Amino acid sequence: VQLVESGGGLVQPGGSLRLSCAASGFSFKDYLMTWVRQAPGKGLEWVSSISLDGLATKYADSVKGRFTISRDNVKNQLFLQMDRLKPDDSAVYYCARPRSPYNSVLKIPSIDDHTVRGQGTQVTVSS
């Protein structure tokens, strides 16, 4: 089971980035998928989750209207389009999978129950 994130980098405030996560070793289409982030000196923060079929999404209030989560169940990839970035968005972003399959966005598992995470990709928003 492996998750590999990419797409992070340095961007100016107001800019955009698109993160990708390549999944392997499990049946990707059977899992709700999530993005979490960790800023320096802080704990993990849930950012967004997407349903198995990609039709339902949920966002943290801090990113709602600026970030868009999506997935490709043919290519086993998860994405996070981040627009109008702010310095407070600076963090390491992780793609995460819950312990068990078939979860709904109506009851998203806790971060602790997302037992599979990638190595993360750094996003820095600064002028």
Side-chain angles (χ1 to χ4, degrees):
V1 176
Q2 192 174 24
L3 298 171
V4 179
E5 301 93 339
S6 61
L10 173 64
V11 62
Q12 292 187 342
S16 297
L17 281 175
R18 180 177 170 85
L19 306 184
S20 299
C21 171
S24 61
F26 65 99
S27 183
F28 181 74
K29 63 179 177 61
D30 291 336
Y31 287 84
L32 173 146
M33 293 297 296
T34 293
W35 287 98
V36 298
R37 66 186 182 185
Q38 187 166 28
K42 297 188 177 180
L44 285 169
E45 176 189 13
W46 172 77
V47 174
S48 180
S49 295
I50 188 167
S51 63
L52 278 63
D53 59 7
L55 297 181
T57 56
K58 289 274 189 177
Y59 298 93
D61 287 343
S62 57
V63 307
K64 199 174 294 182
R66 301 187 297 119
F67 289 11
T68 304
I69 189 172
S70 61
R71 66 191 295 164
D72 184 334
N73 284 349
V74 174
K75 296 183 178 179
N76 292 346
Q77 290 184 302
L78 179 71
F79 305 100
L80 187 67
Q81 176 67 40
M82 304 187 296
D83 298 318
R84 290 181 280 143
L85 282 160
K86 305 175 182 179
D88 283 350
D89 295 320
S90 297
V92 177
Y93 283 72
Y94 299 92
C95 168
R97 193 210 81 177
R99 183 193 318 270
S100 301
Y102 309 122
N103 286 289
S104 165
V105 294
L106 298 178
K107 192 175 181 183
I108 297 168
S110 68
I111 289 179
D112 287 344
D113 275 343
H114 282 72
T115 55
V116 180
R117 285 203 302 268
Q119 84 290 346
T121 186
Q122 177 71 50
V123 171
T124 302
V125 185
S126 175
S127 54

